[in-house]
């Protein structure tokens, strides 16, 4: 299972069976032809116009403003459409052709040539190309995933990027800026465990000087340490400073690369991914003679912690008992309103040869929406002779708005069953 902040594009079995689909889809006012690659569902498409990060007073909007206020001299770019080509999402960022994130089991495709972006980094090239030397961009991103309190197939990321000249004068100015930021942090209640600016396992790119790469890594770390202090440092002081640690990481589009973790309320939390931008990205953006950094952070993950929001589905609720608890631009602690009772139902079936668990989750989300609180696999079985696979899933239903009656839950389970049979061709046990 991956985390929300920077869920890595992990390996999973490819999705082989083609779901039945209409021949065209209407998406954000565009008519799009489907093909054998289409796996996007109506439940997902219904989220595209919502744009939660622009809703004044919504915790995601407040968090976005907070991040923007830290990077006050950065251009705030409005999110382009989430419909992108696989080339934009992967190729221009140097993802290898066989990268597992491209699999239909992990990402949503409208057809072979159009997908929903899986991360905000998709827009690095065009953002740098707009001749902004520093920019921030907030975007809805889409990944196929399991169903529980911290996973939702739509979430939000903020991407930030900055470039510097590589001439001696520009690097000298950067060095001075770094020193000034460092002095501020030294006086602040923050304890930083650093990672080397580069190392043999986290190398400087060919074509970058080690000195320039180190200055840029340092600039990245200083800027983000300041952000961590702004987001999480409220209760820290000299005796109990905020603890931040930098860890070497790996992304296809940065080198060296880093992750940031923060110790908050007794736990280390993974907050963001970052690194020195691949020079090929800047070449594609046509900004010669520059070197730069980029980071991407997951807004839900951070907002759930800062506002004490216990379930990721709440971000999407229209319940006033949620929204009335928040005011624009203020971090406040969410007080959960009474939970309605949950009901669980199990379902066992033989899976088709190419059926992936994520196909089952998408059927559940499509049929019952956010009433599905949690889906877990209780049991798996492979028939020793035929090799057929079967599984038992436990679906937990709970409305966030009202009590469900048993007959309703059974009816929902029936619809899930019928759709699994109809769409995925599974066979009940
Ligand atoms: N796009 C990465 C993710 O979604 C995060 C990232 C952004 C990493 C920018 C490096 C630079 O996990």
């Amino acid at each position: 299972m991956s985390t929300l902040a920077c869920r890595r594009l992990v390996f999973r079995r490819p999705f082989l069976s083609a779901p039945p689909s209409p021949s065209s889809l209407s998406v954000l006012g565009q008519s799009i032809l489907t093909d054998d690659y289409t796996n996007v569902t109506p439940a997902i498409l219904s989220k595209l116009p919502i744009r939660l990060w622009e809703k004044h007073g919504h915790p995601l909007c407040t968090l976005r403003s907070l991040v923007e206020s830290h990077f006050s001299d950065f251009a705030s770019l409005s999110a382009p459409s989430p419909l992108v080509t696989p080339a934009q999402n992967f190729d221009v960022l140097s993802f290898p052709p066989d990268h597992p994130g491209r699999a239909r089991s992990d990402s949503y495709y409208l057809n072979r040539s159009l997908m929903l972006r899986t991360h905000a980094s998709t827009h690095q090239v065009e953002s740098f190309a707009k001749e902004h030397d520093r920019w921030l961009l907030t975007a809805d991103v889409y990944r196929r995933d399991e169903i529980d309190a911290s996973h939702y197939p739509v979430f939000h990321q903020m991407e930030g990027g900055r470039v510097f000249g590589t001439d001696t004068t520009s690097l000298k100015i950067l060095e001075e800026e770094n020193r000034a930021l460092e002095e501020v942090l030294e006086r602040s209640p923050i304890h930083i465990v650093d990672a080397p600016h580069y190392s043999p396992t986290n190398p400087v790119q060919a074509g970058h000087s080690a000195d320039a790469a180190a200055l840029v890594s340092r600039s990245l770390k200083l800027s983000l340490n300041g952000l961590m202090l702004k987001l999480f440092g409220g209760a820290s002081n000299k005796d109990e400073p905020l603890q931040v640690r930098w860890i070497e990481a790996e992304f296809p589009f940065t080198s060296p690369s880093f992750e940031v973790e923060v110790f908050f309320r007794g736990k280390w939390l993974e907050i963001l991914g970052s690194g020195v931008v691949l020079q090929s990205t800047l070449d594609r953006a046509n900004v010669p003679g520059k070197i730069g950094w980029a980071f991407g952070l997951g807004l839900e993950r951070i907002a759930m912690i800062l506002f004490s929001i216990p379930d990721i589905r709440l971000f999407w609720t229209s319940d006033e008992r949620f929204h009335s608890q928040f005011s624009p631009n203020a971090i406040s602690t969410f007080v959960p309103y009474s939970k309605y009772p949950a009901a669980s139902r199990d379902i066992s079936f033989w899976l088709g040869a190419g059926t992936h668990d994520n196909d089952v989750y998408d059927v559940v989300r499509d049929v019952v929406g956010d009433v599905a609180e949690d889906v877990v696999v209780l049991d798996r079985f492979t028939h020793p002779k035929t090799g057929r696979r079967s599984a038992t899933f436990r679906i937990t239903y709970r409305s966030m708005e009202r009590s469900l009656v048993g007959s309703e839950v059974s009816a929902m389970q029936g619809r899930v069953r019928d759709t699994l049979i109809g769409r995925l061709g599974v066979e009940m046990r």
Side-chain angles (χ1 to χ4, degrees):
M1 189 160 91
S2 43
T3 62
L4 265 181
C6 6
R7 281 192 286 183
R8 284 294 181 56
L9 305 163
V10 293
F11 177 75
R12 294 197 183 121
R13 269 175 295 107
F15 175 99
L16 298 171
S17 60
S21 51
S23 56
S24 83
L25 294 167
S26 170
V27 186
L28 298 175
Q30 253 180 286
S31 174
I32 290 163
L33 289 179
T34 60
D35 62 19
D36 60 329
Y37 234 60
T38 309
N39 64 358
V40 72
T41 62
I44 297 302
L45 291 177
S46 71
K47 305 293 187 196
L48 268 63
I50 297 179
R51 302 175 74 87
L52 289 178
W53 69 95
E54 290 175 344
K55 297 209 184 309
H56 221 49
H58 192 284
L60 294 178
C61 183
T62 296
L63 179 55
R64 171 180 69 112
S65 307
L66 204 58
V67 176
E68 284 174 349
S69 69
H70 178 70
F71 292 102
S72 57
D73 54 352
F74 280 51
S76 222
L77 307 182
S78 65
S81 162
L83 270 58
V84 297
T85 63
Q88 274 177 289
N89 197 76
F90 298 118
D91 300 335
V92 299
L93 291 171
S94 308
F95 278 70
D98 61 347
H99 193 281
R102 297 178 187 257
R104 290 172 68 233
S105 58
D106 281 36
S107 299
Y108 289 106
Y109 286 87
L110 294 125
N111 56 36
R112 281 187 177 266
S113 48
L114 220 46
M115 66 184 300
L116 297 177
R117 67 179 156 234
T118 64
H119 58 167
S121 305
T122 305
H123 302 293
Q124 277 190 11
V125 171
E126 64 206 69
S127 303
F128 283 122
K130 285 183 184 133
E131 292 179 43
H132 297 299
D133 60 2
R134 52 197 96 181
W135 53 267
L136 280 178
L137 181 147
T138 309
D140 43 340
V141 303
Y142 297 79
R143 296 187 199 172
R144 303 188 70 197
D145 220 325
E146 53 233 272
I147 299 180
D148 64 28
S150 60
H151 290 88
Y152 204 80
V154 192
F155 59 105
H156 298 84
Q157 288 187 329
M158 277 182 97
E159 185 93 358
R162 186 172 171 192
V163 287
F164 309 89
T166 48
D167 55 288
T168 330
T169 319
S170 303
L171 293 177
K172 188 108 205 113
I173 293 171
L174 175 57
E175 190 166 6
E176 277 156 24
E177 183 193 304
N178 282 348
R179 193 165 307 125
L181 284 175
E182 213 151 55
E183 277 167 19
V184 174
L185 284 169
E186 270 161 18
R187 292 194 303 269
S188 306
I190 183 168
H191 178 257
I192 300 152
V193 176
D194 204 358
H197 294 327
Y198 55 85
S199 75
T201 49
N202 200 19
V204 171
Q205 294 167 45
H208 285 172
S209 80
D211 284 352
L215 279 174
V216 171
S217 288
R218 201 167 135 220
S219 160
L220 167 74
K221 290 168 173 176
L222 290 164
S223 303
L224 291 172
N225 285 332
L227 176 66
M228 293 306 107
L229 199 56
K230 177 155 207 153
L231 296 180
F232 297 102
S236 54
N237 54 49
K238 275 219 153 32
D239 300 323
E240 279 183 80
L242 177 71
Q243 295 187 64
V244 173
R245 68 182 179 205
W246 286 79
I247 295 166
E248 284 188 4
E250 216 181 312
F251 299 102
F253 40 93
T254 47
S255 189
S257 305
F258 307 97
E259 271 165 13
V260 178
E261 292 185 351
V262 165
F263 194 76
F264 195 69
R265 300 202 186 127
K267 273 192 278 188
W268 282 104
L269 308 164
E270 201 180 298
I271 301 296
L272 58 83
S274 63
V276 177
V277 176
L278 275 201
Q279 211 54 34
S280 55
T281 307
L282 294 182
D283 291 344
R284 287 188 179 104
N286 198 20
V287 280
K290 303 270 181 175
I291 180 169
W293 53 246
F295 69 87
L297 52 82
L299 287 181
E300 275 82 350
R301 183 90 198 278
I302 299 174
M304 286 176 83
I305 298 159
L306 290 180
F307 294 85
S308 302
I309 295 170
D311 190 313
I312 195 165
R313 292 174 300 167
L314 285 163
F315 291 111
W316 298 90
T317 187
S318 51
D319 197 320
E320 268 309 304
R321 288 171 302 170
F322 178 77
H323 295 287
S324 63
Q325 296 198 24
F326 304 104
S327 336
N329 298 322
I331 304 266
S332 53
T333 302
F334 174 65
V335 183
Y337 35 86
S338 65
K339 269 196 173 189
Y340 294 100
S344 295
R345 297 279 192 281
D346 296 349
I347 185 165
S348 303
F349 47 86
W350 296 101
L351 293 105
T355 309
H356 188 282
D357 289 354
N358 283 350
D359 303 331
V360 176
Y361 303 140
D362 269 324
V363 165
V364 174
R365 291 198 189 274
D366 228 22
V367 176
V368 304
D370 287 357
V371 168
E373 178 175 78
D374 192 84
V375 180
V376 291
V377 181
L378 288 186
D379 178 52
R380 287 186 202 278
F381 170 73
T382 304
H383 194 283
K385 290 209 179 95
T386 62
R388 283 178 93 195
R389 294 177 300 131
S390 80
T392 302
F393 289 82
R394 172 162 294 171
I395 306 173
T396 301
Y397 298 90
R398 190 202 307 265
S399 164
M400 289 186 288
E401 277 100 39
R402 60 191 184 83
S403 270
L404 300 171
V405 294
S407 57
E408 256 180 306
V409 175
S410 301
M412 284 191 278
Q413 181 80 354
R415 289 206 306 278
V416 168
R417 183 197 56 224
D418 294 346
T419 312
L420 287 170
I421 297 169
R423 200 182 286 180
L424 303 182
V426 309
E427 195 184 312
M428 290 301 131
R429 284 184 57 191

